[in-house]
């Protein structure tokens, strides 16, 4: 993802313009489905909007592509907890959290 697009998404989030950030981030994911950073950001945005099912899907995509990265595992756990899927959240490897 070009740095300018990343910076724009982050600036929109920081300005509490979450809906605009979501739209831009979704377009980045659509234009390059292999861009895991865009999916990571989209998961965070979904979580901020209390869209935990969508946040979970984004997190799972990033975890599958980058299993060694701890933050996607943490975010996945949060998304699962918010859906009251406690056992599933607890089953995540503590090494990654």
């Amino acid at each position: 993802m070009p740095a300018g697009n990343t910076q724009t998404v982050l600036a929109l989030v920081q300005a509490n313009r979450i809906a605009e950030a979501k739209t831009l981030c979704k377009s980045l994911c659509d234009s390059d489905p292999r861009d895991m950073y865009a999916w990571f950001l989209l998961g965070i945005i979904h979580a901020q909007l209390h869209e935990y099912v969508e946040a979970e899907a984004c997190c799972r995509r990033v975890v599958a592509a980058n299993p060694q990265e701890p933050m996607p595992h943490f975010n996945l756990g949060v998304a699962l907890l918010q859906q009251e899927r406690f056992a599933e959240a607890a089953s995540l490897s503590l090494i990654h959290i």
Side-chain angles (χ1 to χ4, degrees), residues 5 8-13 15-28 42 45 49:
N5 291 332
T8 302
V9 169
L10 294 173
L12 289 168
V13 169
N16 203 31
R17 294 167 54 187
I18 305 299
E20 291 173 70
K22 179 180 166 181
T23 299
L24 176 57
C25 207
K26 280 178 118 175
S27 72
L28 295 173
L42 186 58
I45 292 167
L49 294 170

Side-chain angles (χ1 to χ4, degrees), residues 71-88:
M71 282 308 298
H73 288 268
F74 176 81
N75 291 348
L76 175 58
V78 170
L80 292 169
L81 288 172
Q82 291 297 327
Q83 296 174 71
E84 299 184 5
R85 292 164 55 193
F86 305 118
E88 195 173 351

Side-chain angles (χ1 to χ4, degrees), residues 17-82:
R17 294 167 54 187
I18 305 299
E20 291 173 70
K22 179 180 166 181
T23 299
L24 176 57
C25 207
K26 280 178 118 175
S27 72
L28 295 173
C29 291
D30 290 342
S31 67
D32 185 1
R34 296 169 293 146
D35 186 343
M36 290 302 113
Y37 188 61
W39 286 104
F40 177 76
L41 290 176
L42 186 58
I44 291 170
I45 292 167
H46 279 302
Q48 287 184 331
L49 294 170
H50 305 277
E51 299 169 344
Y52 298 112
V53 172
E54 294 86 350
E56 176 192 351
C58 293
C59 292
R60 287 192 184 281
R61 186 175 191 135
V62 177
V63 165
N66 299 299
Q68 75 286 356
E69 292 294 327
M71 282 308 298
H73 288 268
F74 176 81
N75 291 348
L76 175 58
V78 170
L80 292 169
L81 288 172
Q82 291 297 327

